Amino acid sequence: MEILMAFVIGILFMCATYLMLSKSLLRIIVGTGLLSHGAHLLILTMGSLKRGAVPLLGENASSYTDPIPQALILTAIVISFGVTAFFLVLAYRAYQELGTDNMDKMRGNKGND
């Protein structure tokens, strides 16, 4: 299962890198979302994909699932949601002001630097 997850993570990173290198602002935002999903899967895979009991140590369970990767992923999902929402609002405002989402046209003139 870890080999399959490694291929999925690699494909997500590859697609995210391709999208983030494009000129469209919306594609860059989708690329950052894919990159964060790839990072979430990477954390989950590195924490090992185990099946076990609920992570309650007070009941003297013989096998339990490690709660740390799940907590890290949950925190990362909330942070990536906030960053994506901020990027979308920023892109919408830039599109309203400039009328384009092309990064080359958003750069401006050299005289205005």
Side-chain angles (χ1 to χ4, degrees):
M1 187 70 174
E2 283 86 4
I3 300 295
L4 176 66
M5 292 299 285
F7 282 118
V8 170
I9 292 167
I11 290 170
L12 281 175
F13 281 165
M14 178 183 62
C15 292
T17 304
Y18 173 75
L19 287 173
M20 287 193 302
L21 291 175
S22 66
K23 294 181 181 179
S24 174
L25 194 57
L26 190 59
R27 286 185 179 199
I28 293 171
I29 294 170
V30 171
T32 57
L34 282 177
L35 187 69
S36 68
H37 286 308
H40 300 158
L41 286 176
L42 180 66
I43 293 171
L44 183 66
T45 305
M46 292 303 291
S48 72
L49 302 172
K50 292 190 258 184
R51 293 186 182 176
V54 182
L56 299 174
L57 297 176
E59 298 178 4
N60 296 328
S62 61
S63 67
Y64 62 92
T65 307
D66 189 16
I68 299 297
Q70 295 172 8
L72 287 174
I73 292 169
L74 184 61
T75 305
I77 287 171
V78 171
I79 291 170
S80 67
F81 177 73
V83 169
T84 303
F86 174 71
F87 281 164
L88 284 172
V89 169
L90 189 66
Y92 179 69
R93 183 69 180 150
Y95 183 76
Q96 278 184 336
E97 289 291 323
L98 302 172
T100 183
D101 70 338
N102 191 347
M103 293 300 287
D104 286 339
K105 293 179 182 176
M106 293 173 103
R107 211 166 271 172
N109 298 332
K110 290 184 180 179
N112 293 335
D113 289 341

